[in-house]
């Protein structure tokens, strides 16, 4: 393979972070360990204060509490609840948590209440103070997720992740408890990938909800979910999801490596991650697919792809991605194969239209007038009569106007949006034509282009068509169809040179994978789709064979 | 060095695109008048024999390209000399085909544009694609093969449905006897485009090793398919235009397609055809250019092929303009001089010598091979 | 990346340093729809161009203010050859003449009588002129008058003529669409000569060239009229009416036509509608003067009967078939006679002979074809089938006669 295009961005980031912290090299492998910056801080803090071992919890409760308060800057939402409970003697304990990130009802019902009701009578034998923690974990805390915390950093991380921490006087450990709660968005209908038929649930911002959405639909013991933490400051949770018995292990390894190499201070959206882990930077084409639909992720996992879920965004990534996936919609598999095939072909032609329609108009009207049917030529020529700009200027102005309108329509508050569309349609369209600034034919072409670009199911690939449209228009205004043809060759060559995690971007077309062509621009009936994509699912290339089932059924009916 | 391999499909597609590239454009075998399509079939069979010879050489040195194994056959210096000659030959062919397409564009669409601009644009595209690697070229071929096939089929259907064909124009077969047909067929048609398969001696090593034994079969299949397509295209040209017009226009295919007029709406498709043909021309020039690069790499011992693609591209642009002062001269050279004095030595004579030398030195070479491997 | 660094400035140079050589905005073009070529006394060519005014033709686009303009404009220039005249036209036009959409080229009879080959060259050499352009000869008028005629339905004359040619070939069959390619090919065919449609103006010729022609109910019109027969590039004469249709029968180009077959004492007779037809030509080349067999197989309907005949009787139908065969046979024989009189092989017999026996053609016939052609014996055989007789059975006339007869018998 060519190592020429090996993720230059990641390399530069690595260098940067190396400059910041060179001591970290020993533990570089795991992202789950503490971050460099905080370690440095702790050291600074400890040196000033007292000679306690670095980062470890002290048995004295107030020291710990003070240190935590200091580290967090004593924020208003930090709740430190001191209370006592009874074992062999009265024990002081502190429950620390960040308000609004925890479910207060859980805290009071299952932690505070049982602990405060604890009395020495109930114990069969007296519990020494240094075993208190173990004892209450076993006997008093009616919670599922309770784990030990041994260091201060761990404690802080637990707090910031939305757990509550229980410290008990005289113990050098604490307990972190899964009492996450607080307000989060409910599962709603997808907004960017609407289907008519199919599941109506979308991912939310919470990674836990998202994983549960996948788990619920995919009850296989082979489902693997691996967690990472990315982002030096944001410490964002990230999970990769795949089927262990289907996926090509080399691809998983590659994805893991790339994720581990990501060096950034903050990860807020999968779009950022995408830029870090994609193969090629100098391209307008999306190399990873993003989706907010759990069924899309599951469908892809079943084909041997890997889903990447990031906490804080409903959009998850799918890797590796092929170009053709951007023209497929999950609905294709829920509808009959004939209409799905038709729709896929339609979407692809729509992409082509939105890419080259204005260029073709320019080339035809300025170079190849001979190819226009005579009557149509009269029409266009009559419209062009009196238009002051050359066709290319006309087209550029109109296209840019349209882009402005689109951008305005998206960012505007909804109330103003109507006004924008009125101004756009009436003032800019109708009036410009009547004033003789642009020809009606041009307005039609721009209109078709615009509608076409909205019909592409994937926003990402519609964007690349948008960007490429302008250079194509310019070249076809200078060299007509010749320039356009060569430019298209360049685009196709560029597409074939792309790879997504080692898988050719344009497969199954180049190189041709005959089996996979069945589910590409066409969708064969499900009974024919018994193979998984060849390169993705090397381990386990055959799906269940539905056609055998069908055969059996036919035999039964004939008997 | 050769880390990427092509599979049989890509090999087949490259052959077809390469063969059709410029041959479908010019009136091939038109000296035979209305029997031109038969002349092409004759040429195809002769070309297949030549190709079998090339594959024979490849099988003896499956890991090496032509310019590499002649260095084994003749020793370093003589081998490099021959390699250098071949490099010039490939360069010349690249320039010729480029000129063909430049002229096509100029005479059909861009009457006032200087040819250097048109050619430069084409070579720039080729250089870009080749810099991405030969593999990318092969895969791009797969995409465009489908596209060209689609356009070709559509045009054929249109010609049929527009009822333009006058089959009587094709009769009588062998009206003036077989001799004029054979004369038209030899020596031009076997050498162009079929003998140009010599470039695949440079590309065959890219085949995956497991496909080594299919190289001949698939190659012949590719040649057969392209020969039949060429032959039917020419037959269609004649049936649409009549023997006279077909032989007296430079680009019969364009003239034939230009007659399509369906319902006053689908008309004047020749300009569209020009741009489909450009795709074929692109691949042909690209293959020649790449092969020249490979030859130069072997002769001059260049490590990275990407470094010399650009310079060689510039050479091709300049020589495409320098090789002839006008199109008549260019075509005349192509029909009368090049086949006899350039094609035949490089496609027939030299490969024959290589085979003979190989057969003579077989034992010695075996010794060489075993000693080098041990 | 380094490649990108040099590619970007390179492509920018290519974009901005190159001129727009072959670029023409639509509003810089004059769309030529028809050309006329005449010859003056000195031997210079007079070339007429009919240029469309798109704002007046395009549907739904109203002319920008002012009075109504004519649909087309006509330019006329002189030159020693076609190209010279064409470029000279730019002295009169504000825009480049654009020929790709030209529908027809009209030659004057005078030019046709002198030599038509020269003018054909430029038309077939220029890549812009499309090869489907129709070739015509102005009959009893000049090309310039034809191109100036305002036609009522298709506003642009050239459009109208092209449409007339197409429709009339399909429905009547006394002319064949002859585009420039076919003319050239027929010149080159073994022993062949071209056959070019004639066109004339009917009605008030002075009114024809004024816009008033639009306003009257019975305007002057252009009319396709006969086909010109050539010999060695020179117009020799005309085939008109049934003689012209004979050519289409012989070439097997009849798509549909109507033939009148007279019945006893009634000239109006039957109107037989030809639905499709097939022609087979064969030649016997044993002797020095070959004989040619023409077999025509038309399929027809009875479209009109003006004779009292019982169409329900199969024998009557057979009779009509026979009469129809005779009519067509005569028509074809007449055509062949006419062609032989002109000694011009417009039918393509030479090509047929070459196809049948190329060796003998090359050896014997080719040299003496001038002498042989008028002497060729042609056997014409028409074998027609009447398939239907419309949606009626016997005509009124027959019923009436029957009634009269019955009355006579009963009384």
């Amino acid at each position: 393979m060519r190592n020429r295009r090996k993720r230059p961005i990641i390399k530069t980031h690595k260098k940067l972070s190396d400059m910041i912290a060179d001591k970290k090299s020993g533990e570089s492998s795991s992202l789950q360990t503490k971050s460099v910056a905080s370690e440095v801080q702790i050291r600074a803090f400890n040196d000033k204060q007292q000679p306690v071992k670095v980062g470890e919890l002290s048995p004295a409760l107030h020291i710990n509490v003070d240190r935590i308060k200091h580290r967090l800057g004593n924020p208003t939402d930090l709740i430190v609840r001191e209370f006592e409970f009874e074992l062999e003697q009265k024990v002081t304990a502190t429950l620390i948590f960040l308000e609004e990130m925890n479910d207060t009802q859980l805290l009071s019902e299952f932690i505070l209440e049982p602990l405060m009701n604890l009395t020495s009578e109930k114990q069969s034998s007296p519990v020494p103070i240094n075993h208190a923690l173990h004892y209450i974990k076993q006997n008093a805390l009616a919670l599922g997720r309770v784990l030990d915390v041994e260091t201060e950093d761990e404690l802080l991380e637990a707090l910031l992740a939305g757990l509550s921490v229980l410290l008990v006087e005289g113990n050098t450990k604490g307990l972190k408890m899964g009492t996450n709660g607080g307000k989060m968005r409910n599962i709603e209908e997808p907004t960017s990938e609407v289907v008519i038929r199919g599941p109506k649930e979308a991912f939310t911002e919470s990674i836990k909800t998202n994983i549960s959405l996948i788990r619920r639909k995919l009850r296989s013991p082979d489902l693997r979910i691996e967690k990472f933490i990315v982002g030096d400051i944001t410490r964002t949770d990230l999970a990769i999801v795949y089927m262990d018995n289907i996926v090509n292990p080399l691809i998983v390894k590659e994805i893991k490596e790339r994720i581990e190499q990501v060096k950034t201070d903050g990860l807020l959206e999968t779009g950022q991650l995408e830029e870090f882990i994609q193969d090629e930077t100098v391209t307008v084409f999306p190399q990873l697919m993003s989706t907010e639909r759990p069924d899309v992720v599951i469908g892809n996992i079943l084909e041997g792809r890997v889903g990447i879920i990031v906490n804080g965004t409903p959009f998850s990534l799918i890797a590796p991605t092929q170009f053709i996936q951007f023209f497929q919609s999950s609905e294709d598999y829920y509808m009959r194969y004939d209409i799905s095939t038709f729709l896929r072909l339609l979407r692809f032609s729509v992409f082509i239209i939105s890419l080259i329609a204005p260029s073709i108009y320019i080339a035809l009207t300025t170079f190849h007038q001979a190819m226009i049917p005579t009557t149509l030529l009269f029409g266009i020529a009559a419209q062009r009569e009196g238009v002051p700009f050359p066709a290319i200027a006309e087209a550029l102005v109109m296209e840019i106007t349209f882009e402005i309108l689109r951008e305005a329509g998206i960012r505007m508050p909804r109330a103003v949006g109507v006004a924008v569309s009125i101004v756009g349609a009436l003032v800019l369209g109708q009036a410009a034509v009547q004033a003789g600034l642009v020809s009606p034919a041009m307005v039609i072409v721009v209109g078709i282009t615009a509608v076409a670009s909205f019909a592409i199911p994937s926003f990402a690939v519609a964007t690349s068509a948008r960007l490429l449209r302008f250079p194509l228009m310019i070249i076809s205004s200078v060299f007509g169809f010749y320039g356009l043809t060569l430019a298209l060759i360049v685009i196709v060559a560029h597409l074939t040179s792309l790879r997504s995690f080692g898988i050719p971007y344009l497969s199954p077309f180049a190189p041709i994978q005959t089996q996979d062509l069945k589910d590409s621009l066409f969708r064969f009936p499900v009974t024919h789709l018994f193979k998984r994509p060849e390169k993705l699912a090397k381990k386990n290339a055959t799906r269940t064979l539905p056609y055998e089932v069908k055969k059996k059924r036919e035999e039964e009916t004939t008997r | 060095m050769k880390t990427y391999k092509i599979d049989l499909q890509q090999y087949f597609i490259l052959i077809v695109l390469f063969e059709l590239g410029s041959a479908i454009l010019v009136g091939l075998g038109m000296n035979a008048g209305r029997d031109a399509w038969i002349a092409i079939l004759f040429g195809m069979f002769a070309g297949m024999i030549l190709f079998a010879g090339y594959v024979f050489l490849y099988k003896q040195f499956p890991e090496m390209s032509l310019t590499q194994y002649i260095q084994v056959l003749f020793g370093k210096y003589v081998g490099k000399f021959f390699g250098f000659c071949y490099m010039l030959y490939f360069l010349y062919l690249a320039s010729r085909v480029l000129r063909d397409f430049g002229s096509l564009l100029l005479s059909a669409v861009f009457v006032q544009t200087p040819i250097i601009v048109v050619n430069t644009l084409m070579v720039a595209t080729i250089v870009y694609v080749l810099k991405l690697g030969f593999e990318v070229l092969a895969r791009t071929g797969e995409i465009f093969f489908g596209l060209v096939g689609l356009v070709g089929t559509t045009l054929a259907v249109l010609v049929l449905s527009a009822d333009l064909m006058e089959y009587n124009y094709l009769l009588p077969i062998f009206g003036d006897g077989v001799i004029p047909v054979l004369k038209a067929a030899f020596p031009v048609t076997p050498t162009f485009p079929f003998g140009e398969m010599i470039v695949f001696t440079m590309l065959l090593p890219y085949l995956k090793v497991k496909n080594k034994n299919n190289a001949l079969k698939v190659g012949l299949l590719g040649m057969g398919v392209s020969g039949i397509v060429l032959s039917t295209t020419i037959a269609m040209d004649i049936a649409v235009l009549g023997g006279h017009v077909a032989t007296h226009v430079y680009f019969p295919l364009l003239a034939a397609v230009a007659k399509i007029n369906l319902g006053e709406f689908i008309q004047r498709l020749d300009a569209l055809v020009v741009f489909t043909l450009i795709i074929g021309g692109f691949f042909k020039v690209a293959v020649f250019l790449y092969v020249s690069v490979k030859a130069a790499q072997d002769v001059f011992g260049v490590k990275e092929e990407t470094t010399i693609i650009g310079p060689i591209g510039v050479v091709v642009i300049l020589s495409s303009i320098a090789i002839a002062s006008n199109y008549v001269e260019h075509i005349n050279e192509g029909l009368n001089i090049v086949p006899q004095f350039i094609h035949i030595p490089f496609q027939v004579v030299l490969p024959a010598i290589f085979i003979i030398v190989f057969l003579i030195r077989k034992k010695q070479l075996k010794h060489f091979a075993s000693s080098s491997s041990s | 990346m380094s490649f990108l660094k040099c590619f970007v400035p390179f492509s920018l140079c290519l974009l901005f340093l190159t001129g727009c050589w072959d670029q023409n905005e639509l509003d810089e073009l004059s769309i030529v729809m028809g050309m006329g070529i005449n010859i003056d006394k000195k031997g210079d060519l007079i070339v007429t161009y009919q240029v469309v005014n798109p704002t007046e033709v395009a549907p739904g686009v109203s002319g920008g203010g002012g009075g109504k303009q004519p649909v087309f404009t006509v330019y006329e220039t002189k030159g020693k050859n076609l190209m010279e005249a064409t470029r000279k036209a730019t002295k009169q036009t504000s825009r480049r003449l654009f020929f790709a959409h030209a529908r027809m080229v009209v030659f004057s009879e005078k030019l046709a009588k002198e030599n038509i080959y020269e003018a054909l060259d430029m038309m077939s050499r220029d890549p812009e002129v499309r090869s489907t352009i129709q070739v015509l000869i102005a009959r009893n008028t000049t090309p310039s008058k034809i191109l100036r005629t305002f036609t009522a339905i298709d506003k642009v004359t050239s459009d109208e003529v092209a449409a007339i040619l197409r429709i009339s070939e399909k429905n009547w069959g006394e002319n064949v669409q002859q585009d420039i390619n076919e003319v050239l090919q027929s010149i080159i065919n073994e022993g062949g000569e071209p056959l070019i449609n004639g066109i004339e103006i009917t009605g008030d010729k002075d009114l024809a060239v004024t816009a008033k022609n639009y306003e009257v109910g019975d305007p002057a019109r252009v009319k396709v009229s006969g086909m010109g027969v050539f010999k060695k590039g020179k117009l020799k004469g005309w085939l008109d009416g049934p003689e012209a249709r004979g050519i289409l029968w012989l070439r097997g180009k009849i798509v549909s036509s109507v033939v009148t077959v007279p019945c006893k004492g009634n000239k109006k007779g039957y109107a037989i509608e030809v639905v499709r037809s097939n022609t087979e030509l064969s030649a016997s080349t044993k002797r020095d003067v070959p004989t040619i067999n023409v077999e025509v197989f038309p399929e027809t309907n009875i479209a009109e009967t003006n004779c009292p005949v019982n169409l329900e009787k199969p024998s009557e139908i057979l009779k009509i078939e026979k009469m129809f065969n005779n009519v067509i046979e005569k028509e074809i024989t007449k055509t062949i006679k006419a062609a032989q009189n002109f000694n011009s092989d417009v039918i393509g017999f030479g090509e047929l002979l070459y196809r049948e026996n190329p060796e003998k053609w090359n050896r014997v016939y080719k040299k003496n074809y001038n002498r042989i052609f008028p002497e060729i014996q042609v056997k014409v055989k028409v074998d027609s089938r009447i398939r239907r007789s419309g949606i009626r059975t016997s005509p009124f006339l027959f019923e009436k006669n029957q009634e009269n007869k019955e009355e006579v018998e009963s009384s």
Side-chain angles (χ1 to χ4, degrees), chain A residues 86-245:
Chain A
E86 206 175 332
L87 287 174
E88 196 174 322
Q89 59 191 84
K90 287 247 168 169
V91 184
T92 323
T94 317
L95 183 66
I96 312 173
F97 60 94
L98 289 169
E99 210 178 5
E100 294 303 324
M101 284 184 77
N102 287 275
D103 188 335
T104 34
Q105 204 183 342
L106 270 182
L107 286 174
S108 56
E109 259 181 54
F110 299 105
I111 300 173
L112 291 178
E113 206 182 307
L115 280 178
M116 289 161 109
N117 288 345
L118 215 64
T119 46
S120 50
E121 289 98 70
K122 286 182 187 168
Q123 297 142 22
S124 49
S125 61
V127 179
I129 226 172
N130 48 353
H131 282 102
L133 215 56
H134 182 73
Y135 176 80
I136 57 172
K137 187 175 164 189
Q138 298 292 356
N139 296 304
L141 295 173
L143 277 170
R145 221 176 129 202
V146 179
L147 293 167
D148 286 356
V149 178
E150 291 186 1
T151 64
E152 200 181 294
D153 284 323
E154 243 178 283
L155 194 156
L156 276 173
E157 192 156 328
L159 270 184
L160 294 171
L163 303 175
S164 53
V165 177
L166 184 71
L167 296 176
V168 178
E169 179 81 50
N171 284 274
T172 52
K173 281 184 185 172
L175 286 179
K176 57 178 176 184
M177 295 162 296
T179 52
N180 315 46
K183 283 177 194 96
M184 263 181 302
R185 202 159 63 91
N186 291 327
I187 297 172
E188 283 166 13
E189 279 195 33
T191 48
S192 63
E193 290 163 87
V194 185
V195 296
I196 296 167
R197 180 168 181 180
K200 302 255 181 198
E201 59 189 8
F203 284 135
T204 69
E205 279 77 6
S206 154
I207 192 169
K208 282 186 185 159
T209 318
N210 296 351
I211 288 174
S212 75
L213 280 173
I214 293 174
R215 271 262 192 236
R216 272 176 213 172
K217 294 192 175 194
L218 195 64
R219 297 182 190 164
S220 162
D222 293 313
L223 178 68
R224 294 286 174 273
I225 299 172
E226 289 184 36
K227 277 192 122 185
F228 298 86
I229 292 178
V230 177
D232 291 342
I233 296 176
T234 57
R235 314 286 291 146
T236 312
D237 283 329
L238 183 154
I240 65 171
V241 196
Y242 57 90
M243 289 297 290
D244 197 33
N245 58 342

Side-chain angles (χ1 to χ4, degrees), chain B residues 34 106-114 117 120-121 124-125 127-128 131 166 168-169 171-176 241-246 249 255 258-261 264 267-268 270, chain C residues 3-4 6-7 10 14 18 20-24 87 99-101 103 124 127-132 159 166 179 181-182 184-186 188-190 253 351 354-356 358-359 362:
Chain B
R34 53 187 96 190
L106 251 57
S107 51
V109 191
F110 299 102
V111 182
Q112 284 164 334
T113 312
V117 175
T120 308
L121 211 59
T125 314
V127 168
Y128 171 76
K131 286 223 171 183
E166 182 66 66
N168 280 338
Y169 283 143
L171 296 172
I173 296 169
F174 294 131
D176 304 323
L241 297 170
H244 167 72
V245 179
V249 293
K259 291 200 72 172
I260 295 175
N261 184 357
E264 296 290 312
Q267 53 185 353
R268 208 56 211 250
D270 47 339
Chain C
F3 179 64
L4 207 73
C6 63
F7 191 71
F10 171 75
L14 213 56
T18 56
C20 302
W21 289 285
D22 287 287
Q23 195 193 30
N24 290 296
R87 287 294 162 96
F99 290 96
H101 285 268
R103 285 297 169 81
S124 64
E128 208 173 271
V129 178
R130 61 174 66 189
S131 55
T132 48
D159 251 349
R166 196 172 61 242
D179 66 32
N181 245 335
E182 283 156 344
L184 285 175
Q185 181 64 32
S186 60
I188 293 306
N189 275 345
E190 303 286 352
K253 287 246 175 154
E351 187 70 8
Y354 173 64
R355 251 191 326 262
E356 295 274 324
E359 184 263 340
N362 284 337

Side-chain angles (χ1 to χ4, degrees), chain C residues 354-366:
Chain C
Y354 173 64
R355 251 191 326 262
E356 295 274 324
N357 194 344
E359 184 263 340
K360 188 153 186 180
W361 167 265
N362 284 337
R363 193 162 47 82
V364 186
Y365 298 149
K366 198 174 185 178

